[in-house]
Amino acid sequence: MKSQSPNLKPYDIKERTLEFSVRILQVAAALPESPEAGILKRQLVAAGTSIGANVEEADGAVSRADKRKSFVIARKEARETRYWLTLVDRVWGKTVDVTADVKEATELLYILSSIVDKLA
């Protein structure tokens, strides 16, 4: 399911993290072909797509503690993804615009922190 408009973000955390994963893959594809970019691509894709995967895992958790653990991991991955995106911005920002992606990673981090706190 596509979001209604490029400016509207999906309310559902599963859909929002899935859309973010798609965007991370697009950012990685836009990075240059170099050894340095290759290392960063792998790190960015692993962390950025793991957010949604862990949210999905939380949805299928068998206990509240298990659910919280998955959201804690998703939050850690959001923080790591924001780091990699900031690095992309510093090195390749003139050719690969990730400003909105850094903002979205930060928003996801806040949302996931709120969920974790509520599950404590």
Side-chain angles (χ1 to χ4, degrees):
M1 176 168 97
K2 299 249 181 209
S3 54
Q4 300 91 1
S5 143
N7 297 327
L8 292 176
K9 293 179 186 158
Y11 177 74
D12 179 58
I13 189 67
K14 291 191 325 182
E15 181 65 24
R16 190 163 174 176
T17 56
L18 176 64
E19 291 296 324
F20 186 69
S21 294
V22 169
R23 179 62 189 144
I24 290 300
L25 293 170
Q26 292 169 339
V27 168
L31 291 173
E33 294 297 326
S34 71
E36 300 81 11
I39 292 167
L40 198 139
K41 283 181 195 186
R42 283 189 292 281
Q43 294 287 343
L44 177 62
V45 168
T49 59
S50 180
I51 300 166
N54 279 288
V55 168
E56 280 290 334
E57 189 173 322
D59 190 44
V62 295
S63 70
R64 187 175 178 95
D66 190 33
K67 181 179 217 117
R68 185 175 189 278
K69 178 182 169 200
S70 292
F71 277 118
V72 166
I73 294 168
R75 180 177 63 180
K76 287 179 182 181
E77 297 295 341
R79 181 172 277 116
E80 181 180 344
T81 302
R82 185 175 62 178
Y83 172 81
W84 295 121
L85 287 168
T86 302
L87 194 53
V88 167
D89 187 48
R90 296 263 178 102
V91 178
W92 296 286
K94 291 182 182 187
T95 56
V96 181
D97 183 13
V98 294
T99 307
D101 305 301
V102 171
K103 184 175 186 266
E104 179 67 356
T106 301
E107 289 179 18
L108 288 172
L109 180 59
Y110 292 149
I111 292 166
L112 293 166
S113 291
S114 177
I115 293 169
V116 167
D117 290 346
K118 288 176 183 169
L119 290 171

